[in-house]
Amino acid sequence: MKALQWQGVNKLAVGEVPDPELRNPGDMIVKVGKTVTCGSDLHLLGGYIPFMEKGDVLGHEFLGEVVEVGPDVHKHRVGDRVVVSSFIACGSCWYCDQKLFSLCDNGNTNPAITETLWGHAPGGCFGYSHAMGGNAGSHAEYVRVPFADVGAFAVPDEVSDERALFASDSASTGWMGADLGGVKPGDVVAVWGAGAVGQMAARAAVLLGADRVIVIDRLDNRLQQVEKFIGAETLNYERTDVSGELRERSGGRGPDVCIEAVGMEAHSPGPQFAFDQLKQQLRLQTDRPTAVRDAIHACRKGGSVFVLGVYAGFVDKFPLGALMNKGLTVRGAQMHGQRYIPMLLERMAAGELTTEHLATHVMPLDQAPEGYRIFKEKEDGCVRAVFTP
Amino acid sequence: MSRTGKLLLIAVPVVAGAAVAARRRRVPGAGEQRRRHVVTVFRPLAELQAEPLPGSLKEIADDVEITLSAAPGGRGTEIAVRIPEGSSVSSGDVRRALRETRSLIEVGDVLLPYGPPTTVPTLLNRPLQTATRHGREGGLL
Ligand SMILES: NC(=O)c1ccc[n+]([C@@H]2O[C@H](COP(=O)([O-])OP(=O)(O)OC[C@H]3O[C@@H](n4cnc5c(N)ncnc54)[C@H](O)[C@@H]3O)[C@@H](O)[C@H]2O)c1
Ligand SMILES: [Zn+2]
Ligand SMILES: [Zn+2]
């Protein structure tokens, strides 16, 4: 079959790979209908997560049709239209029982790597390096879905492919940031990053009853989407003093919940950016934490900061003093898709959550390397490139 | 700089940083094989005591000491393994056995890696391929 493969740092190509096989009785094979770029892939592409092998298939946000099921799959049948959580979880361990699915004890076949790196191993993910299990991703004609009864969800007829697709990763991630960040009615919520993840976090905050939701980015086309489709306010950090504006828009208190949806390749307008970039290039820090720093600084006393952006290693100039003295709660997580996807599909069916506008570029899988180039450069207003294998 | 050089430069600090962090925690006598390994399985103690432990833990059971105890707060059962002096069993064998057994008890199955592989071996990814061939044996468990 055809698949988009990582061939080296910043090198992608569409190649021929063997079709996936059922390996465990709970597996199924999905014929990929739509599969989409994610900001997380950029960290792999640029070599910031150094556990890729030449030939690895990328992609973890997808939807498709069931074509083969293992004997232990009971929820799905051949022909079903399903959306699949990007993180792979067993559904039976203590973490899954706590609905912390991305922390599953049994979903990663290579726990040694992340256990050594971070002390404990999270679960597995599609197309996200050998540290996350080395599972071939969804930018292919077919994909193996382990623990299919746990991670795959039938899409209701009234929800289009274009909408349901994003329940797979960006919408569940965004929802998690607002939910576990503790957004309540009456809150002021600030979101850093107006990519698909930040937009979905902002929409979740709106739906959870926040009083004001403010999204921060520098790309005008994305901020316009936020105003038009998400129903939130915006700030362009290249043109405004974000910290002053946030203070003013929250009556001097600072936002109650700050959600960071930028990640380790953050950009910043000041001289600090050159410093962070240099340190990252010299590998004195592995990640650039600009947006996390800003979120901690802006957050109200006793407020909460949720880190959705992906980080791999160590950061410099982490504002521990502000965190401690302001009594903040800082949390982060990879997405617990299995916890949110059924609810998100219901909200999508009810028209509360729309995502079609995120798919700014739709193209055949053959053009995926070009799709990633446009997505990475944020060219031509690209928010997400969707591939149709 | 070549792309290869760049990737190595990235991989080294991430892994080295973790190694430094791990080393700091170690007590004198570091470098010796650890003799005690524990895992918590999300099933009640009575259930685990009712039948012999499944999987690869059963295979090494004669060469190690296994203790079961209830984990606090409804977290299930702690399975502790001690490797006696002179045993031929390695820490890697025990880690793999504990992980596989936990999965067998909780899920009834042990997840196999994706296949057939889509990757090709290169000079650069040889260490990673070696590590993932023994993915359940390493780590800190
Ligand atoms: N936690 C999870 O499970 C999970 C899931 C999906 C994605 N992610 C991560 O979330 C992050 C965002 O993903 P995405 O797909 O929306 O990415 P994206 O690249 O499309 O969007 C990131 C946005 O952040 C903006 N940005 C950069 N620096 C900024 C700064 N200092 N302040 C404010 N905005 C800034 C960029 O202009 C861009 O619009 C990534 O790090 C990704 O890896 C995490
Ligand atoms: Zn993602
Ligand atoms: Zn689990």
Side-chain angles (χ1 to χ4, degrees), chain A residues 33-87:
Chain A
K34 291 195 164 53
T35 177
V36 55
T37 60
C38 172
S40 301
D41 300 329
L42 299 180
H43 313 325
L44 297 177
L45 196 59
Y48 293 96
I49 294 175
F51 301 104
M52 295 294 285
E53 289 177 16
K54 187 178 165 69
D56 275 331
V57 178
L58 290 179
H60 57 263
E61 187 165 33
F62 66 101
L63 157 149
E65 185 193 320
V66 177
V67 291
E68 204 182 339
V69 294
D72 285 357
V73 176
H74 304 297
K75 235 175 76 178
H76 304 289
R77 280 200 201 132
V78 170
D80 281 1
R81 188 166 65 117
V82 292
V83 61
V84 179
S85 167
S86 60
F87 262 78

Side-chain angles (χ1 to χ4, degrees), chain A residues 1 15 41 54 73 75 113 117 123 125 133 135 141 167 198 219 244 308 314 342 368 378:
Chain A
M1 65 169 182
D41 300 329
K54 187 178 165 69
V73 176
K75 235 175 76 178
I113 297 175
L117 205 53
C125 183
N135 303 287
E141 291 174 80
L219 301 173
L308 288 177
F314 302 89
K378 320 275 188 243

